[in-house]
């Protein structure tokens, strides 16, 4: 997925504004298993996924809790770092070899000051991230694990094929044994 398409999917930009952002972007390739963002660190970049899958997780004692997956076209950002220049609480791990577009957050902040179209793009970007977070929270609070699994199947079937079941179980807030039962019940 090309960077121009990813940017415009978030919020359409006039060509000159899009090119101003693209001038600050660099394409990087990283291997499966690489930790892109580390908890407890102020992140100074935003990434967009050209190719690959990532997961966001937090460590809780002796286990990890996965709370988000990203795939082609998705932004990868630590909102604590992006908004307040504070340490992030999440780790972001590459689940496949990945190609990412990397954008320094300070460059984007400077562009916000000089281009109203980019400032509006940034507002829409933050609003969409807020909505995604709200949807995940509501799903966790009101939906069952089976409902969340069905939602993954319906809206992101490729994740089921590409992400290890242990991470999916963690995302759903259940054990792998419970996930196996849910899958068996749905496949009947």
């Amino acid at each position: 997925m090309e960077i121009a398409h990813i940017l415009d999917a978030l919020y359409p930009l006039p060509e000159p504004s899009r090119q101003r952002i693209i001038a600050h972007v660099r394409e990087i390739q990283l291997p499966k298993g690489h930790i892109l963002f580390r908890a407890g660190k102020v992140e100074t970049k935003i990434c967009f996924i050209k190719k690959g899958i990532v997961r966001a997780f937090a460590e809780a004692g002796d286990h990890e809790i996965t709370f988000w997956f990203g795939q082609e076209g998705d932004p990868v950002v630590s909102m604590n770092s992006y908004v307040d220049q504070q340490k992030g609480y999440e780790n972001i791990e590459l689940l496949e070899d990945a190609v990412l577009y990397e954008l320094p957050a300070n460059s984007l902040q400077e562009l916000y000051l000089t281009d109203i179209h980019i400032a509006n793009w940034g507002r829409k970007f933050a609003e969409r991230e807020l909505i995604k977070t709200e949807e995940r929270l509501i799903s966790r609070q009101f939906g069952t694990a089976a409902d969340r699994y069905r939602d993954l199947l319906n809206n992101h079937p490729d994740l089921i094929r590409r992400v290890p079941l242990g991470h999916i179980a963690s995302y759903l807030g259940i054990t792998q044994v419970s996930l196996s039962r849910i899958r068996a019940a749905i496949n009947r």
Side-chain angles (χ1 to χ4, degrees):
M1 198 168 223
E2 295 305 312
I3 187 64
H5 183 263
I6 292 171
L7 295 173
D8 281 350
L10 288 166
Y11 183 76
L13 285 164
E15 184 62 24
S17 298
R18 185 182 316 107
Q19 290 307 317
R20 282 188 197 102
I21 293 176
I22 291 172
H24 294 273
V25 170
R26 74 182 183 116
E27 188 175 301
I28 59 173
Q29 295 184 8
L30 297 167
K32 175 181 178 177
H34 179 82
I35 303 295
L36 185 64
F37 293 173
R38 292 203 179 271
K41 182 175 181 270
V42 176
E43 295 299 337
T44 59
K45 64 187 175 226
I46 297 167
C47 294
F48 302 92
I49 304 171
K50 178 176 184 177
K51 179 181 172 291
I53 296 233
V54 304
R55 76 172 177 126
F57 69 95
E59 295 179 8
D62 62 344
H63 66 286
E64 300 171 348
I65 299 172
T66 298
F67 55 88
W68 176 79
F69 295 107
Q71 59 189 329
E72 288 82 3
D74 286 336
V76 181
V77 61
S78 170
M79 289 306 280
N80 259 2
S81 296
Y82 174 72
V83 173
D84 285 333
Q85 292 73 51
Q86 298 294 316
K87 294 175 183 176
Y89 55 84
E90 68 277 89
N91 294 292
I92 307 287
E93 176 187 19
L94 304 181
L95 298 180
E96 298 176 343
D97 290 343
V99 180
L100 306 167
Y101 297 110
E102 186 179 83
L103 173 62
N106 64 339
S107 297
L108 187 56
Q109 295 294 334
E110 290 172 14
L111 290 169
Y112 290 158
L113 299 173
T114 60
D115 187 318
I116 190 67
H117 301 291
I118 296 173
N120 283 331
W121 178 90
R123 177 180 50 81
K124 290 305 260 185
F125 165 67
E127 289 170 353
R128 287 188 183 198
E129 289 301 303
L130 175 62
I131 288 169
K132 287 193 296 190
T133 300
E134 185 178 67
E135 287 172 348
R136 285 193 304 271
L137 176 64
I138 289 169
S139 172
R140 278 279 189 156
Q141 294 295 315
F142 299 107
T144 66
D147 292 337
R148 291 191 300 275
Y149 183 74
R150 278 189 209 91
D151 182 60
L152 268 179
L153 277 176
N154 292 333
N155 297 317
H156 305 286
D158 49 323
L159 284 178
I160 304 297
R161 292 188 304 273
R162 296 168 68 185
V163 173
L165 291 179
H167 295 325
I168 290 179
S170 171
Y171 174 75
L172 297 174
I174 59 176
T175 65
Q176 276 191 259
V177 171
S178 295
L179 176 57
S180 294
R181 287 185 190 125
I182 289 169
R183 293 178 67 187
I186 288 173
N187 292 330
R188 281 187 204 157

